[in-house]
Amino acid sequence: MYSILLLVISVFGGFLGALLGLGGGVIVVSALTLFFGVDIRYAIAASLISIIATSSGAAASFLKDHLTNLRLAVLLEVGTVFGAIAGFFISSYIQSKWLFFLFGGFLLFSAFSMLKKKGDSRAEVNHPWSEKLNLGGRFNNEVGELVHYHVANVPLGLFVMFFAGIFSALLGIGSGIFKVMAMDGAMKVPMKISSATSNFMIGVTATASAGAYLMKGDIRPEIACPVSLGIIIGSFVGARVMPRMPADRIRKIFVVVLVVISIQMVMKGFKA
């Protein structure tokens, strides 16, 4: 029964993860710690394994729909991988309750920041680095129109991705939240492209972190297996639904998820 409940929750987490570019780690870590009483470090380790599964399940569909920007993803992963390595070394010196506070506080701040934003704020021109690396692209929106976009503030995006990698290792969330925020907010990339590219990137970031947790012995197969299976199923469905949804609706769901989980994690921190 325990495994079935984990599977059902993971399907829901995988669906939201693929839809919003979060990787499902946000839902999984919250469910395991808040409802199942799993130690947050074991929850983080299981989440990292499931994030790799999510990325594999959703990335293929997004690539087929031409929503993933591979050039941008490879560039930004330079920052996230180094950040993930740094986060692993930091994790041994931080108490669990501070992880809850850090997670919840940042998510709440992020939710209010995104709530103020209406629609996609497109960059009018490419940043010089974007121009040289040909990071801009095009995609078909929900009504089938071809939309061209540019990429701005590339150095700022790399800086944010380094911290995204640190949070990935500390919190087991794949850092999808920060990737989407950086691309959508700082780099002015359309929301759908940000979500799809984030789904591709989180698998690489999580792999760097999961290997470290494996060596520490924090990965529990009885938790990781049903979680990974459920997230694969959910991410496949989410990847099919996302291209047909308006960007504003995706953003609203994103904000609601951030607010609910941030409040829950802060409350958990007080109890830890």
Side-chain angles (χ1 to χ4, degrees):
M1 192 64 185
Y2 181 83
S3 297
I4 293 175
L5 287 174
L6 283 180
L7 180 66
V8 172
I9 291 175
S10 299
V11 170
F12 178 68
F15 175 79
L16 282 181
L19 191 68
L20 305 176
L22 305 182
V26 172
I27 308 298
V28 170
V29 171
S30 301
L32 291 178
T33 55
L34 296 175
F35 304 124
F36 292 91
V38 176
D39 184 279
I40 189 171
R41 298 189 186 278
Y42 295 152
I44 288 172
S47 173
L48 288 170
I49 297 299
S50 69
I51 287 165
I52 299 172
T54 306
S55 179
S56 301
S61 179
F62 290 143
L63 282 169
K64 183 179 179 180
D65 292 328
H66 304 289
L67 292 175
T68 302
N69 189 323
L70 289 176
R71 290 178 181 269
L72 181 60
V74 171
L75 174 66
L76 295 180
E77 271 306 308
V78 174
T80 51
V81 169
F82 279 105
I85 295 172
F88 166 68
F89 290 107
I90 295 172
S91 65
S92 301
Y93 302 97
I94 298 181
Q95 297 180 356
S96 295
K97 69 175 182 178
W98 296 114
L99 293 181
F100 284 112
F101 288 138
L102 187 65
F103 193 9
F106 194 89
L107 292 188
L108 196 59
F109 170 79
S110 304
F112 284 114
S113 298
M114 296 197 73
L115 191 60
K116 296 178 181 179
K117 187 176 180 181
K118 303 295 183 182
D120 285 330
S121 55
R122 307 281 175 82
E124 296 183 0
V125 294
N126 278 316
H127 184 273
W129 292 12
S130 175
E131 194 69 38
K132 291 181 180 179
L133 297 174
N134 192 26
L135 298 181
R138 58 186 181 180
F139 69 102
N140 291 316
N141 61 17
E142 57 271 11
V143 296
E145 298 175 342
L146 187 63
V147 178
H148 293 263
Y149 65 92
H150 303 290
V151 179
N153 303 322
V154 177
L156 177 60
L158 277 170
F159 181 74
V160 174
M161 291 301 164
F162 176 77
F163 287 96
I166 292 177
F167 277 102
S168 173
L170 289 178
L171 304 173
I173 57 174
S175 64
I177 290 174
F178 311 106
K179 287 179 169 66
V180 172
M181 288 178 56
M183 286 185 280
D184 177 59
M187 305 178 77
K188 310 299 183 184
V189 176
M191 186 67 181
K192 287 190 176 183
I193 303 299
S194 300
S195 296
T197 304
S198 171
N199 266 294
F200 178 83
M201 294 171 63
I202 55 180
V204 181
T205 308
T207 300
S209 303
Y213 277 88
L214 179 63
M215 291 188 292
K216 290 173 63 178
D218 287 341
I219 295 178
R220 295 290 186 266
E222 66 274 14
I223 299 174
C225 289
V227 166
S228 298
L229 179 60
I231 282 192
I232 288 175
I233 297 171
S235 65
F236 178 81
V237 177
R240 295 288 184 179
V241 172
M242 195 270 271
R244 299 176 177 84
M245 290 186 66
D248 283 340
R249 185 175 300 173
I250 296 174
R251 190 185 308 281
K252 290 176 182 177
I253 298 174
F254 192 93
V255 170
V256 171
V257 171
L258 291 186
V259 171
V260 171
I261 293 177
S262 63
I263 294 173
Q264 291 177 330
M265 297 305 278
V266 169
M267 292 175 61
K268 184 71 175 180
F270 282 110
K271 298 177 183 179

